[in-house]
Amino acid sequence: MNYSTADSLPTVTPDDVRGAQKMLSGVARVTALEGSRHLSQLVGAPVHLKCENLQRTGSFKLRGAYVRIAGLLPEERAAGVVAASAGNHAQGVALASALLGVHSTVFMPKGAPLPKISATREYGADVRLHGQVVDETLAAAQEYAAETGAVFIHPFDHPDIIAGQGTVGLEILEQCPDVRTIVVGTGGGGLVAGIATVVKALRPDVRVVGVQAEGAAAYPPSLAAGRPVAVESAATMADGIRVGRPGDVPFRIVRELVDEVRTVSEDALSAAVLLCMERAKLVVEPAGASPVAALLSDPGAFAGPVVAVLSGGNVDPVLLQRILRHGMAAQGRYLAVRLRLTDRPGALATLLGVLSLVDANVLDVSHVRTDPRLGLTEAEVELHLETKGPEHCAEVGHALREAGYTVIG
C-alpha cells in the first residue's frame, strides 16, 4: 500500500483492488447482478441489484477480511487474529481465518442475535460475549490483542479491508459496463471507499452514492467538518451500518471520490426490506437494503442504469418479522387499532362483521375485559389488520366510525 506524505494515512489504489481480486479468486463468489423491473419502472431507467447478500457468510465482509488476513506475515498468523462485531464482520473473519488456517477469536455483544453467534462459531471462531454495545466489545477485543499479540482485524479502517471490498466495484463494471450510478450502504465507509477507488479510476463518469440511516449518519457532519466526527447516538434497525464515527482511511477516500452521501428513514428501510422480499425474492437485512431505500425515497435523483449493492442478508428471524410488519405499516398495508365496545354477547362478532364488509383481513385480536380503566359494561379490543394501502386504511376507519365505534389508538 502507498502512504500519503500529507497525513501519513495509507491509501488504496486500483492496482490494490485488482490484486485483491486475484487473491479472492476461488474464495469469494462473483455474486449475481439481478434486474429489478419494479425499481426500473419507479426510477425510469434500468436498475440492477448486486446480490452480496448471497455471498459466502451472507455479506461482502468476507472479501476484506480474507485479503487482510492473507496479507499477514507468518509470525502474525501464528499469533492469531481477533475481531469485534455484532454479526457480518464476525462471520467474515471467522471463515477467512478457517480457510487460511489461522486461529480467530471474535468478541460479540451479549445481545447479539443467536443465529449470528452460532454461525460465527460454526465457521471456527472462538466466540466471546462481552459488553452490551459494540463499543464495549471493541475495547475488549483491542485489550485482548494487546495482551496476547493477536492481530486486530478492523472492520473497515484498514487499506487491505478496503481493497478487498473494492472487488465488488470491479465486478459491477464487468457485469454492467454501461452503469451510470452505483448506490452503496455506508457505515464506517470501507465498502463505498473500495468501490469508489476502482470505479472512479476506470469510469470517472460513474456517480457513486453512499447511503446512511438517518439515526446513524456520521458521514454528513464529518464531510461538512472535513474530518471524521462522532455522532452522539446511533439508533437504527440497520445494525450493519450503525457506526458512530467514520474510519480515518475510508473517510479520506469518501471525501475525495464519493459524489454524495444520502440518508434514509426507518420507514424507507423497512419498506425496502419488504420490497426485496416480495418483488426480488431476496432476504436482505436493513443495512443491505439501504440503497433500495434511497431509490424508493427519491427515485428521480438517480441516472440509470443504476446498480444498488445489497450488501448483506444476515437478519435475525424475529427482527425480520418486526421489520416486515413495520414496512407493511409504512405502506398502509398493516393497521393496528384500539377501540371500546359494550361487553355483551355477540359484540365482538358484530365488530368483525363490520371489518368483513370493508374487506379488512384480521391478523390478531386482543380482547381485554378486566382493565380498571374500563367501565363495568365495557371491553377494549386491539385489532391488527392487513389492509390494501392508505386509502383502504382510511376506509376502514370511516366504516368503524359510521358503525358507532370510537377508535382510541
Side-chain angles (χ1 to χ4, degrees):
M1 300 298 167
N2 299 317
Y3 290 80
S4 166
T5 55
D7 55 10
S8 75
L9 283 176
T11 62
V12 184
T13 70
D15 284 341
D16 295 327
V17 180
R18 291 191 187 95
Q21 187 178 48
K22 293 179 181 177
M23 190 179 295
L24 289 167
S25 178
V27 175
R29 294 172 181 152
V30 177
T31 51
L33 193 72
E34 299 287 346
S36 171
R37 183 172 63 179
H38 178 77
L39 289 173
S40 297
Q41 291 174 343
L42 185 68
V43 172
V47 175
H48 305 280
L49 306 175
K50 178 61 172 168
C51 300
E52 282 296 290
N53 60 310
L54 303 180
Q55 183 59 262
R56 298 177 71 178
T57 74
S59 88
F60 70 97
K61 290 288 191 177
L62 171 65
R63 297 173 183 264
Y66 187 90
V67 173
R68 172 77 173 103
I69 298 170
L72 296 178
L73 297 172
E75 56 269 26
E76 291 175 319
R77 290 197 190 192
V81 299
V82 60
S85 168
N88 289 347
H89 180 59
Q91 294 174 65
V93 168
L95 178 56
S97 299
L99 294 173
L100 291 164
V102 176
H103 180 267
S104 63
T105 301
V106 176
F107 285 79
M108 303 182 75
K110 292 179 180 178
L114 290 178
K116 294 185 177 183
I117 295 173
S118 298
T120 305
R121 284 187 171 133
E122 288 173 8
Y123 286 127
D126 173 14
V127 175
R128 303 191 181 191
L129 302 181
H130 184 92
Q132 300 298 326
V133 296
V134 174
D135 286 344
E136 295 173 355
T137 308
L138 182 64
Q142 291 173 323
E143 182 179 347
Y144 177 88
E147 292 175 352
T148 65
V151 179
F152 178 67
I153 307 298
H154 199 284
F156 51 81
D157 202 13
H158 192 280
D160 288 345
I161 295 286
I162 295 170
Q165 322 304 29
T167 59
V168 175
L170 280 177
E171 290 178 16
I172 290 172
L173 294 182
E174 293 164 359
Q175 294 170 315
C176 186
D178 58 345
V179 62
R180 293 184 61 192
T181 307
I182 300 175
V183 192
V184 190
T186 304
L191 178 61
V192 71
I195 289 175
T197 294
V198 68
V199 168
K200 286 297 186 178
L202 301 177
R203 285 283 307 281
D205 59 303
V206 174
R207 186 171 177 81
V208 179
V209 179
V211 182
Q212 295 205 290
E214 287 177 355
Y219 262 96
S222 296
L223 292 169
R227 57 180 174 79
V229 297
V231 292
E232 293 183 2
S233 63
T236 175
M237 69 175 73
D239 59 339
I241 53 174
R242 190 171 59 210
V243 176
R245 181 187 183 278
D248 293 326
V249 180
F251 174 78
R252 188 177 63 181
I253 298 171
V254 171
R255 182 182 60 188
E256 294 177 358
L257 299 179
V258 173
D259 296 283
E260 180 185 8
V261 176
R262 289 176 165 252
T263 61
V264 292
S265 68
E266 297 298 288
D267 283 351
L269 286 167
S270 57
V273 171
L274 180 62
L275 184 145
C276 288
M277 181 169 288
E278 286 191 324
R279 297 302 183 102
K281 315 306 177 190
L282 293 168
V283 176
V284 184
E285 62 189 277
S290 59
V292 174
L295 297 180
L296 293 176
S297 301
D298 192 3
F302 303 91
V306 178
V307 173
V309 180
L310 306 182
S311 57
N314 292 318
V315 57
D316 180 62
V318 176
L319 176 60
L320 179 60
Q321 184 179 31
R322 291 169 52 197
I323 292 169
L324 293 179
R325 182 172 290 184
H326 188 271
M328 291 177 67
Q331 293 185 351
R333 295 168 51 193
Y334 180 89
L335 180 65
V337 295
R338 283 190 304 121
L339 46 83
R340 289 181 182 175
L341 44 78
T342 302
D343 187 16
R344 58 175 175 77
L348 182 58
T350 301
L351 170 62
L352 296 179
V354 172
L355 296 172
S356 177
L357 290 175
V358 290
D359 203 24
N361 186 31
V362 179
L363 300 176
D364 191 27
V365 178
S366 175
H367 193 198
V368 178
R369 304 171 66 187
T370 57
D371 193 305
R373 295 172 299 177
L374 298 173
L376 186 63
T377 60
E378 286 184 321
E380 185 173 289
V381 176
E382 182 174 345
L383 299 156
H384 292 196
L385 309 172
E386 183 181 7
T387 50
K388 301 173 183 177
E391 292 181 1
H392 191 209
C393 288
E395 182 184 351
V396 171
H398 178 73
L400 290 172
R401 289 189 293 271
E402 284 291 300
Y405 296 103
T406 300
V407 178
I408 58 177

